[in-house]
């Protein structure tokens, strides 16, 4: 497909897909708790509502940072689905999160500050594994281009089972699901109020929610890379993994940051790096 | 129905209630009543909230807290006073430290009576509040920049 067309399709369709997945996620969560749950389009109503609200901001700079966050996340996704270089995708993704952290640091709120610190800790926990994913996919495809990876005729997951496991582990951080929802949580009443998003309201909060939805689609796109050109299998894998994430989200409690980071690095080292090492001596 | 009415987020504050009404407010979130069906979420953060659900008669110490929470909420916003204590002070009205109802501190839009208010009437009160919320949104759009 034409890369520009693919990028444009991502920008238009990702919110649709992301909202549906998030809505189904909320319904499934409610069902697991014995409730009925909100309508499927609830995340969309929430975002539209936030755009209708007035803004309360101590500092105008926070809206600017969050705007950059949204733009970089969209850029990441557009680059990814246009078949761009996966290394650039990863670094643009990280840069986007740095803007989120800066936005949270702008206010004087202690909750937002601790949230921002935890956001950085999450980045540190996740980053090594994401880079290992890129290296592993390079070893299998001999290319860093996403466009080449999705045309892989076989199943890269067969060569990269450890890397895949490690990626699923850190996906919990990225989807902000329990037990690793340290910085901000989808559920009310955590110890930091709303952590890194505490100080945002109205339009700015709406942009964060929208960015989360784009982010979700990009992260699920990474799963696709492990299944090459087998679209059916990757769709099945995405569904299974989302259901597992929701199950884990509902039956675990939040861990301390020390446990989060050491366990993530342990999994990265054993499953991820071990897999890469085995591949390189094969 | 506007998006604001489909996604009302709540902040709940206990301004010296006996906890009876608070337990009823939390009961609304349980599987039996499940207010998330209507998109209602309990946020615990004034900056994310649209509806301020407040219980208890407000004492001299948390007066300022109530005002502070109210002022931190972005417009449009509504206040729902839950329980007879929040409406008028109830049995505690004559106490030396009780202000006598939420309306003595911040403007209240909906009063939900009862001791304790039942979850059904709390949900009904919030549904009433949604209509006022929508009126406020339209009023805000037509007037010049509000006091936000
Ligand atoms: S109205 Fe009754 S139950 Fe509610 S706070 Fe007052 S005394 Fe307690």
């Amino acid at each position: 497909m034409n890369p520009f067309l693919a990028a444009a399709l991502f920008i238009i369709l990702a919110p649709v897909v992301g909202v549906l997945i998030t809505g189904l996620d909320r319904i499934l969560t409610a069902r697991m708790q014995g409730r009925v749950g909100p309508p499927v389009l609830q995340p969309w109503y929430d975002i539209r509502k936030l755009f209708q609200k007035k803004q309360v901001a101590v500092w105008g700079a926070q809206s600017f940072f969050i705007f950059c966050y949204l733009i970089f996340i969209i850029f990441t996704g557009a680059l990814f689905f246009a078949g761009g270089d996966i290394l650039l995708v990863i670094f643009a993704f990280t840069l986007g999160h740095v803007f989120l952290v800066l936005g949270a640091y702008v206010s004087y709120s202690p909750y937002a500050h601790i949230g921002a610190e935890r956001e950085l800790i999450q980045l540190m926990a996740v980053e090594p594994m994401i880079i290992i994913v890129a290296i592993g996919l390079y070893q299998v495809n001999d290319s860093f281009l996403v466009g080449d990876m999705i045309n892989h005729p076989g199943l890269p997951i067969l060569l990269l089972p450890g890397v895949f496991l490690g990626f699923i582990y850190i996906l919990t951080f990225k989807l902000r699901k329990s037990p690793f929802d340290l910085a901000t949580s989808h559920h009310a009443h955590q110890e930091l109020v709303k952590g890194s998003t505490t100080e945002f309201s109205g339009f700015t909060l709406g942009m964060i929610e929208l960015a989360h939805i784009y982010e979700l689609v990009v992260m699920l796109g990474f799963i696709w890379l492990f299944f090459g050109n087998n679209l059916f299998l990757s769709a099945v894998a995405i569904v299974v993994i989302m259901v597992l994430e929701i199950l884990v989200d509902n039956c675990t409690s939040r861990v301390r940051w020390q446990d989060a980071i050491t366990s993530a690095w342990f999994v990265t080292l054993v499953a991820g790096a071990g897999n890469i090492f085995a591949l390189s001596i094969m | 129905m506007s998006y604001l009415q489909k996604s009302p987020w709540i902040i709940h504050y206990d301004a010296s209630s006996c906890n009876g009404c608070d337990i009823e407010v939390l009961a609304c979130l349980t599987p039996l009543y499940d207010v998330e069906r209507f998109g209602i979420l309990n946020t615990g953060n004034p900056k994310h909230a649209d509806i301020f659900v407040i219980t208890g008669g407000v004492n001299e110490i948390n007066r300022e807290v109530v005002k502070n929470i109210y002022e931190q909420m972005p417009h449009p916003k509504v206040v729902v006073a839950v329980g007879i204590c929040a409406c008028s002070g109830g049995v505690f009205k004559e106490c030396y430290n009780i202000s006598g109802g939420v309306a003595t501190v911040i403007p209240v839009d909906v009063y939900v009576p009862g001791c304790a208010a039942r979850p059904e009437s709390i949900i009904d009160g919030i549904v009433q509040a949604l209509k006022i919320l929508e009126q406020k949104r339209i009023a805000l759009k037509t007037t010049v920049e509000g006091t936000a």
Side-chain angles (χ1 to χ4, degrees), chain A residues 107-118:
Chain A
S107 70
Y108 294 109
S109 155
Y111 302 118
H113 271 206
I114 299 178
E117 274 162 11
R118 290 191 185 178

Side-chain angles (χ1 to χ4, degrees), chain B residues 26-27 35 48 60 65 68 70 77 109 116 120 122 128 142:
Chain B
L26 293 179
V35 287
H48 294 188
E60 290 307 323
V65 180
N68 195 341
Y70 179 73
K77 57 185 167 188
D109 298 281
E120 289 90 343
I122 297 176
Q128 302 290 332
T142 45

Side-chain angles (χ1 to χ4, degrees), chain B residues 11-44:
Chain B
I11 176 159
H12 164 223
Y13 181 70
D14 169 356
S16 62
S17 100
C18 76
N19 279 345
C21 285
D22 302 291
I23 288 175
E24 300 301 324
V25 167
L26 293 179
C28 298
L29 304 170
T30 57
L32 187 56
Y33 298 100
D34 187 26
V35 287
E36 206 195 352
R37 277 178 300 156
F38 312 116
I40 301 176
L41 281 188
N42 189 3
T43 64

